[in-house]
């Protein structure tokens, strides 16, 4: 689960006190930005300053976090680019950082937080490209294998599909999970090693959620046939699993269980104006808190949090800025405000925001030096 640490340094800041964006220095900022993407050996601090906001955040088990930053060519979707990551310790201070030159067409590097550090998510076929950064920033090899392994408690879903990979912290091994159905189009792995998948069939049979543990099927549940379009999101953890329901590529509700698949409910209302979600599955945000509550929203739009773990009713969150990405760690909420395309200037409220009280108040991240 991509998230950030509750132990980072934060500075309280309300929406009224946020920077309105580029404070009249577009020329100077543009020049710095261009120098960064054209520099064959960029400095991490320069990349981070040019980026303005992280594009991804991962949390390790000790509270350390890795923030990743991208600086892309503004004039074109091709051309030079720069990438950086910075590891911040539980006290909020930088312990390691790295930057590199690249191109705007390259797949962005992503990490997931695990026990002992952060694992790079492979980009492409197979497990090649995966490695571990420990919390001090030291790089370690991981074992990769094409042989499927049965998932265990603590295994992390590293890549959902094409390829499907899990990471085992105890042995630093990346491998495909065993027993995943050939027709699975969505996948989730919970903290007990249970694999939840959505199967799509070539016949008129509706899509089906299947859950398995230790190589054997524990149960399955057909999705409502009227909402069996391909795509969507599947999340699972703490006895709760939820599948977004789509019709004609639009999200129209949720299929939810809160008792390990014993009973299911279809949520087509619950206080969420589903027809107002215009971005479809591509823009959908579906996150699961450790207390069993679901968070639903759209990138750059609105978000709703369940009133309790029954997930029958939701209330809209007030956010300090439109969030282009959203993450959850435990019961703490994190949002990133950023431009949706590469730009020299900053958007209002740009940066990382955190809420410890279910979205009632937000603080903007400020790093200690």
């Amino acid at each position: 689960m991509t998230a950030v640490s509750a132990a980072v340094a934060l500075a309280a800041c309300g929406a009224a006190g946020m920077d309105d964006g580029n404070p009249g220095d577009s020329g100077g900022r543009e020049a710095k930005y261009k120098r960064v993407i054209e520099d064959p050996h960029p400095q991490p601090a320069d990349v981070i300053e040019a980026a303005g906001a992280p594009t991804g955040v991962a949390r390790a088990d000790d509270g350390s976090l890795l923030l990743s930053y991208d600086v892309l060519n503004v004039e074109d979707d091709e051309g030079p680019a720069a990438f950086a990551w910075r590891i911040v310790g539980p006290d909020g201070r930088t312990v390691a950082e790295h930057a590199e030159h690249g191109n705007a067409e390259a797949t962005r590097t992503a990490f997931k937080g695990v026990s002992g550090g952060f694992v790079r998510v492979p980009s492409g076929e197979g497990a090649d490209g995966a490695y571990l950064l420990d919390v001090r920033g030291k790089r370690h090899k991981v074992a990769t294998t094409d042989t499927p392994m049965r998932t265990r408690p603590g295994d992390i879903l590293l890549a959902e599909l094409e390829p499907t990979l899990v990471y085992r912290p105890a042995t630093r091994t990346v491998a495909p999970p065993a027993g995943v159905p050939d027709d699975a189009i969505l996948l989730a792995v919970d903290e007990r090693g249970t694999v939840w998948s959505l199967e799509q069939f070539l016949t008129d049979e509706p899509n089906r959620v299947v859950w398995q543990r230790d190589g054997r099927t524990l149960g399955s549940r057909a999705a409502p046939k009227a909402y069996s379009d391909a795509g969507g999101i599947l999340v699972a953890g703490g006895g709760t699993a939820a599948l977004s329901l789509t019709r004609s590529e639009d999200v129209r509700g949720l299929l939810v269980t809160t008792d390990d698949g014993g009973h299911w409910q279809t949520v087509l209302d619950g206080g969420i104006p589903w027809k107002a979600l215009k971005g479809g599955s591509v823009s959908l945000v579906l996150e699961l808190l450790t207390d069993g509550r679901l968070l639903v929203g759209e990138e750059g739009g609105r978000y709703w949090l369940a009133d309790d773990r029954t997930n029958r009713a939701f209330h809209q969150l007030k956010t300090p800025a439109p969030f282009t990405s959203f993450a959850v760690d435990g019961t703490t909420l994190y949002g990133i405000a950023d431009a949706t395309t590469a730009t020299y200037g900053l958007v209002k409220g740009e940066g990382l925001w955190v809420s410890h009280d279910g979205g009632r108040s937000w603080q903007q991240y400020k790093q200690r030096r």
Side-chain angles (χ1 to χ4, degrees):
M1 180 183 303
T2 303
V4 284
S5 169
V8 298
L10 298 164
C13 179
M18 292 187 298
D19 186 358
D20 287 336
N22 192 347
D25 186 27
S26 59
R29 187 171 169 79
E30 178 178 341
K32 293 179 181 178
Y33 193 104
K34 288 182 176 179
R35 282 199 299 269
V36 167
I37 64 173
E38 293 170 359
D39 188 343
H41 304 288
Q43 296 298 309
D46 294 337
V47 177
I48 291 168
E49 180 184 2
T55 51
V57 189
R59 180 187 182 278
D61 60 340
D62 76 334
S64 298
L65 60 112
L66 183 150
L67 299 93
S68 54
Y69 298 84
D70 293 328
V71 181
L72 306 178
N73 191 0
V74 173
E75 282 84 5
D76 198 347
D77 58 1
E78 301 177 350
F83 165 79
W85 55 256
R86 173 177 283 169
I87 295 176
V88 181
D91 62 356
R93 291 183 169 84
T94 298
V95 296
E97 57 188 12
H98 168 78
E100 59 191 50
H101 180 73
N103 66 79
E105 295 178 284
T107 303
R108 305 270 70 81
T109 301
F111 294 89
K112 285 199 174 183
V114 298
S115 174
F118 314 91
V119 174
R120 182 184 184 274
V121 179
S123 55
E125 295 295 330
D128 291 343
Y131 57 82
L132 173 71
L133 286 175
D134 65 26
V135 294
R136 305 305 300 175
K138 183 178 180 181
R139 182 165 165 169
H140 302 266
K141 291 182 178 180
V142 299
T144 60
T145 176
D146 294 329
T147 303
M149 63 181 182
R150 293 184 178 182
T151 52
R152 300 175 183 171
D155 287 352
I156 304 294
L157 181 63
L158 195 60
E160 184 178 344
L161 292 172
E162 297 182 358
T164 301
L165 298 169
V166 293
Y167 173 74
R168 179 162 295 165
T171 59
R172 292 184 180 175
T173 302
V174 176
V180 177
D182 293 336
D183 43 19
I185 58 173
L186 297 175
L187 202 71
V189 178
D190 66 22
E191 71 282 356
R192 292 172 297 178
T194 305
V195 177
W196 300 74
S197 60
L198 179 67
E199 295 184 59
Q200 184 182 47
F201 306 97
L202 298 177
T203 64
D204 291 335
E205 187 177 350
N207 293 350
R208 182 170 290 273
V209 179
V210 179
W211 54 105
Q212 302 164 304
R213 189 183 303 147
D214 198 27
R216 63 186 183 90
T217 299
L218 302 178
S220 68
R221 171 62 156 83
K225 195 168 184 178
Y227 305 96
S228 282
D229 289 358
I233 297 177
L234 177 66
V235 296
T240 295
L243 168 71
S244 61
L245 300 175
T246 58
R247 176 189 288 172
S248 300
E249 299 183 355
D250 294 324
V251 181
R252 288 293 179 260
L254 300 171
L255 180 65
V256 182
T257 179
T258 59
D259 60 358
D260 286 316
H263 302 85
W264 293 81
Q265 60 177 323
T266 302
V267 180
L268 302 178
D269 185 4
I272 301 175
W274 297 101
K275 291 184 178 181
L277 303 184
K278 301 299 184 182
S281 298
V282 174
S283 299
L284 179 67
V285 174
L286 180 60
E287 296 278 358
L288 180 60
L289 283 65
T290 51
D291 62 9
R293 290 180 294 165
L294 288 166
L295 181 140
V296 180
E298 269 194 315
E299 295 176 352
R302 294 178 290 172
Y303 298 86
W304 292 264
L305 180 64
D307 295 340
D308 54 48
R309 75 177 314 273
T310 65
N311 294 300
R312 294 190 179 96
F314 294 75
H315 60 274
Q316 185 176 341
L317 299 180
K318 292 183 179 180
T319 60
F323 291 152
T324 49
S325 62
F326 208 107
V328 171
D329 179 58
T331 57
T332 303
L333 312 179
Y334 304 91
I336 293 174
D338 198 3
T340 55
T341 58
T343 175
Y344 299 123
L346 304 177
V347 301
K348 186 174 182 178
E350 181 151 340
L352 179 65
W353 294 81
V354 62
S355 176
H356 299 292
D357 56 9
R360 288 187 291 273
S361 64
W362 295 88
Q363 295 80 40
Q364 192 171 26
Y365 169 83
K366 300 291 183 182
Q367 186 172 339
R368 295 174 181 167
R369 303 309 298 175

